[in-house]
Amino acid sequence: MFIQQLELTHFRNYEKAEVAFSKGINVFLGENAQGKTNLMEAIYVLAMARSHRTANDKELIQWNEEFARISGRVQKKHSSFPLDITISRKGKKAKFNHLEQKKLSAYIGNLNVILFAPEDLSLVKGAPNVRRKFIDMELGQISPVYLHHLVEYQHILKQRNQYLKQLAMRKATDLTFLEVLTEQLAISGAAVLKERFSFAKQLETWAQPIHQEISKQREELMIDYACSIVLTDPEDKEAIYTDLLNVYQDNQKRELDQGTTIAGPHRDDLKFFVNEKNVQTYGSQGQQRTTALSIKLAEISLMHELTGEYPVLLLDDVLSELDDNRQTHLLTAIQNKVQTFLTTTSLDGVKKNLLDAPKVFNIDQGNIETESE
Amino acid sequence: MQYPEPISKLMDSYMKLPGIGAKTAARLAFFTIDMDEEDVTDFAKSLISAKRDLHYCSICGNITESDPCDICRDKDRDRSTILVVEDVKDVMALERVREYHGLYHVLHGILSPIEGTGPEDINIPSLLKRLQSEEVQEVILATNASAEGEATATYLSRLIRPAGIKVTRLAHGLSVGSDIEYADEITLLKAVEGRREI
Ligand SMILES: Nc1ncnc2c1ncn2[C@@H]1O[C@H](COP(=O)(O)OP(=O)(O)O)[C@@H](O)[C@H]1O
Ligand SMILES: [Mg+2]
Ligand SMILES: [Zn+2]
């Protein structure tokens, strides 16, 4: 799939902008603080109905304006449709093909994006919540059903934690109601876990050969979904449900003391191993970079396999961070297949011969100018 | 400049209504001043009589002018089924359909710890009492399809089933006249889960 055109109104430092993109590589060239990342963010928001930089939608509205609007047209193999996001102080509206989608889970997934920014190195190095968010974002784009279960899980978790707190403070006493909440949590928890396990497996399958190639056959990558509970069979939803219930049973006394749900998908992690050593703790910076890159490239193939379309790739300031060998891998992998947006302050450090006829846009204080070849 | 006191007082009253903030309240207040005196008097009277003349039925919790309500007193209704709903508006909606001829029970809320609503805070005890004294054979749980609606329904069925009473849940899924191809995935998922034999 690819984005044909994009129109911005009062988005960050863009007063008004309209651009037509190339199916191949698009380069946003400009000094610092001119609006390159803002443009990437706009594309991300168009796909995910939320920003990757902030949880507060209102920050996206241009200062002193009432609303921000992003619209674009997406072309897929067999269809073409407009997407439209409007953010006002009151909230946001997401339209697919001119129709407002009340449930974001029905909107997300129409445009698939993969974003790679320097902070993605923290995917390997950072705290577990970074990796949980990574799974949720990627899986959520591919599977609306996953997104539904996840939202439901988080919601029920909030209810259950609140009720545990009330029980702990003796403001509530009804254990039958706790049991009902526990079962509800286990139902959506089981659905979430099953999909996460299979996602981690598939990701590993795709990332392994890529990592091997980038490391010149020296390294073998393994990905493990580190579940906070022991599962008898991660492929069987019923079995996961039973396992979850047993764990909640065992934890009940402690949960009633602490007033919170101790174990479950909200406490899980993703672990990466290179040659059987945990990259997070023992990997060199180079290995961590290779791992992050292999995972991003694997995602492209995985999405293609699961949805039949290649996602759109957003590379924010990463190309210059990668050495020649890694750049070559990245650029060869996407060539002629994946619509790519990349930002840079200069084309000097970039392997030009691999940038196949890029369309260059000069970004200057919220203005976009198409460079004539 | 500050608002004249009668205006502020009226605004304060409007702001007690759901979804009305200071801006809307000011607009409504100034609009009220420009209304005919007669209309304003009618308005005030309706407000007071709605509050004074309406009560909740002591049996089912429905809103009514006389206690028990018309439905509970109606000898022609089927006393063996009770349909449980979250609020009075749901009773009105179901009555408009004219297909259901049993009795109702209004919970006046739904179980939601984050909203501070636990089992003690909604109209459950009087339901359990009805199940002892009346010749009830079936309870239909018609709470919404939200997570809270499901939790409330499951909780109630835990309490009711041991008494040997049949408990059923209203079906959720595709709305009538909707095309499968246009339904979102979640609705389809629920529809498939709730499928029945024909
Ligand atoms: N809501 C907003 N309204 C107007 N300008 C904004 C808003 N948010 C950020 N900016 C401006 O955008 C610029 C940063 O743009 P960014 O895309 O992050 O830069 P870069 O080109 O370095 O990636 C800064 O000048 C900042 O002041
Ligand atoms: Mg930037
Ligand atoms: Zn009644």
Side-chain angles (χ1 to χ4, degrees):
Chain A
M1 67 179 72
F2 69 97
I3 305 169
Q4 291 175 311
Q5 56 195 50
L6 186 75
E7 198 179 326
L8 304 180
T9 314
H10 306 322
F11 181 87
R12 294 260 192 207
N13 66 338
Y14 292 90
E15 166 79 41
K16 187 101 193 126
E18 212 183 321
V19 266
F21 294 131
S22 146
K23 266 199 229 193
I25 293 182
N26 299 274
V27 178
F28 301 146
L29 185 65
E31 300 290 305
N32 279 323
Q34 299 305 306
K36 300 186 298 298
T37 300
N38 293 347
L39 204 46
M40 292 291 203
E41 187 181 33
I43 295 173
Y44 190 91
V45 175
L46 192 65
M48 306 292 281
R50 50 165 291 173
S51 164
H52 65 287
R53 289 207 280 192
T54 171
N56 181 5
D57 292 333
K58 292 179 195 74
E59 283 177 30
L60 306 177
I61 305 173
Q62 189 169 36
W63 298 322
N64 301 319
E65 293 296 340
E66 288 297 309
F67 71 94
R69 182 165 172 199
I70 312 163
S71 18
R73 178 164 276 278
V74 175
Q75 174 78 52
K76 288 195 180 180
K77 269 192 215 134
H78 306 293
S79 61
S80 155
F81 51 83
L83 292 176
D84 189 296
I85 298 267
T86 307
I87 294 158
S88 70
R89 314 249 163 234
K90 285 200 212 94
K92 69 185 149 201
K93 273 198 187 134
K95 287 187 187 171
F96 164 67
N97 199 18
H98 308 287
L99 298 175
E100 184 178 351
Q101 306 293 309
K102 288 264 189 297
K103 283 194 202 131
L104 290 183
S105 59
Y107 177 86
I108 298 167
N110 288 306
L111 168 62
N112 294 139
V113 297
I114 288 174
L115 171 79
F116 196 12
E119 57 275 20
D120 277 304
L121 286 175
S122 66
L123 181 64
V124 181
K125 279 194 293 189
N129 66 316
V130 177
R131 287 178 291 276
R132 280 197 297 271
K133 190 176 153 208
F134 159 77
I135 302 184
D136 292 343
M137 286 292 144
E138 307 314 332
L139 205 43
Q141 289 194 62
I142 304 170
S143 162
V145 174
Y146 175 78
L147 207 55
H148 163 76
H149 288 305
L150 179 71
V151 170
E152 193 134 289
Y153 179 82
Q154 287 165 342
H155 185 72
I156 299 166
L157 181 67
K158 230 199 252 166
Q159 292 282 20
R160 187 172 187 270
N161 282 344
Q162 189 60 37
Y163 198 63
L164 281 169
K165 215 166 278 156
Q166 289 167 5
L167 287 167
M169 294 188 307
R170 314 235 178 280
K171 282 189 186 153
T173 51
D174 196 325
L175 290 179
T176 309
F177 183 45
L178 178 65
E179 208 177 279
V180 169
L181 290 174
T182 305
E183 284 169 24
Q184 252 192 330
L185 191 69
I187 291 173
S188 48
V192 166
L193 282 179
K194 181 169 182 268
E195 291 221 37
R196 283 191 184 170
F197 261 101
S198 99
F199 177 75
K201 264 262 129 336
Q202 285 173 296
L203 195 64
E204 183 186 65
T205 311
W206 284 103
Q208 244 166 11
I210 299 170
H211 193 102
Q212 219 163 47
E213 214 183 307
I214 302 177
S215 67
K216 306 207 165 76
Q217 321 301 323
R218 281 191 292 257
E219 296 176 8
E220 193 191 20
L221 175 69
M222 286 196 307
I223 302 177
D224 210 11
Y225 184 78
C227 193
S228 58
I229 64 166
V230 181
L231 299 183
T232 33
D233 180 3
E235 279 166 32
D236 180 352
K237 201 153 76 177
E238 290 300 316
I240 305 177
Y241 172 75
T242 314
D243 291 338
L244 277 170
L245 278 189
N246 287 336
V247 169
Y248 293 135
Q249 198 77 50
D250 293 344
N251 289 349
Q252 177 146 342
K253 218 182 111 34
R254 274 199 301 150
E255 291 194 330
L256 285 172
D257 283 342
Q258 300 176 15
T260 188
T261 304
I262 299 169
H266 62 290
R267 289 287 169 89
D268 294 351
D269 198 355
L270 204 57
K271 292 221 158 78
F272 307 109
F273 299 88
V274 163
N275 296 339
E276 289 172 8
K277 292 242 161 38
N278 190 332
V279 202
Q280 191 187 2
T281 26
Y282 301 109
S284 66
Q285 200 193 11
Q287 284 175 330
Q288 290 177 348
R289 277 177 186 222
T290 308
T291 304
L293 181 60
S294 307
I295 288 162
K296 288 288 163 181
L297 292 178
E299 266 189 82
I300 295 177
S301 312
L302 183 54
M303 275 201 190
H304 180 241
E305 185 189 58
L306 295 179
T307 67
E309 299 262 1
Y310 281 106
V312 167
L313 182 63
L314 308 175
L315 301 173
D316 194 9
D317 288 343
V318 276
L319 222 46
S320 50
E321 297 268 319
L322 299 174
D323 62 20
D324 267 15
N325 174 36
R326 295 194 182 94
Q327 268 193 31
T328 307
H329 268 281
L330 177 61
L331 296 171
T332 335
I334 60 177
Q335 225 163 25
N336 304 324
K337 286 190 295 206
V338 183
Q339 185 186 33
T340 303
F341 297 88
L342 61 92
T343 68
T344 185
T345 46
S346 122
L347 282 169
D348 289 349
V350 179
K351 294 209 99 182
K352 275 221 193 70
N353 51 340
L354 280 165
L355 287 185
D356 185 32
K359 190 164 181 181
V360 178
F361 301 88
N362 287 305
I363 312 295
D364 183 18
Q365 294 187 33
N367 289 306
I368 310 173
E369 216 176 278
T370 313
E371 199 168 89
S372 46
E373 282 93 284
Chain B
M1 200 194 86
Q2 76 186 50
Y3 293 116
E5 260 190 73
I7 293 271
S8 328
K9 268 163 82 179
L10 187 52
M11 279 172 62
D12 184 50
S13 298
Y14 278 131
M15 285 197 302
K16 295 198 168 105
L17 300 176
I20 295 191
K23 243 180 168 167
T24 312
R27 222 181 60 220
L28 290 175
F30 284 104
F31 182 84
T32 312
I33 301 173
D34 288 337
M35 281 164 67
D36 287 344
E37 170 127 16
E38 204 179 315
D39 287 341
V40 174
T41 314
D42 279 350
F43 192 6
K45 277 193 191 143
S46 319
L47 277 175
I48 292 167
S49 94
K51 184 67 199 169
R52 208 175 272 159
D53 303 339
L54 287 178
H55 317 271
Y56 291 124
C57 171
S58 57
I59 299 174
C60 72
N62 190 14
I63 204 152
T64 175
E65 282 180 75
S66 56
D67 188 22
C69 72
D70 290 350
I71 296 174
C72 286
R73 273 183 311 171
D74 189 343
K75 289 280 172 294
D76 293 333
R77 297 196 75 119
D78 172 11
R79 310 204 146 251
S80 70
T81 45
I82 295 181
L83 193 145
V84 181
V85 293
E86 286 173 32
D87 66 44
V88 174
K89 288 195 297 273
D90 300 332
V91 175
M92 314 260 167
L94 280 153
E95 280 299 281
R96 260 181 267 128
V97 183
R98 302 224 204 106
E99 269 307 310
Y100 175 71
H101 304 295
L103 303 176
Y104 291 96
H105 194 86
V106 183
L107 294 172
H108 293 291
I110 192 137
L111 296 177
S112 173
I114 28 187
E115 312 278 335
T117 317
E120 315 78 34
D121 304 306
I122 58 175
N123 197 14
I124 294 175
S126 69
L127 174 64
L128 299 179
K129 212 168 90 211
R130 287 176 80 182
L131 300 183
Q132 287 169 4
S133 55
E134 291 178 53
E135 63 276 40
V136 182
Q137 282 162 21
E138 179 175 356
V139 173
I140 306 167
L141 301 171
T143 48
N144 289 336
S146 63
E148 287 75 20
E150 295 294 345
T152 308
T154 312
Y155 176 74
L156 287 175
S157 82
R158 288 285 147 86
L159 300 188
I160 299 169
R161 251 195 205 115
I165 295 168
K166 183 173 166 196
V167 184
T168 52
R169 177 98 174 96
L170 226 57
H172 298 293
L174 294 173
S175 53
V176 181
S178 69
D179 269 336
I180 286 198
E181 72 172 304
Y182 296 125
D184 68 83
E185 274 91 341
I186 309 314
T187 309
L188 285 175
L189 181 77
K190 294 244 160 152
V192 172
E193 280 171 0
R195 70 188 181 278
R196 62 196 165 79
E197 215 169 300
I198 56 168

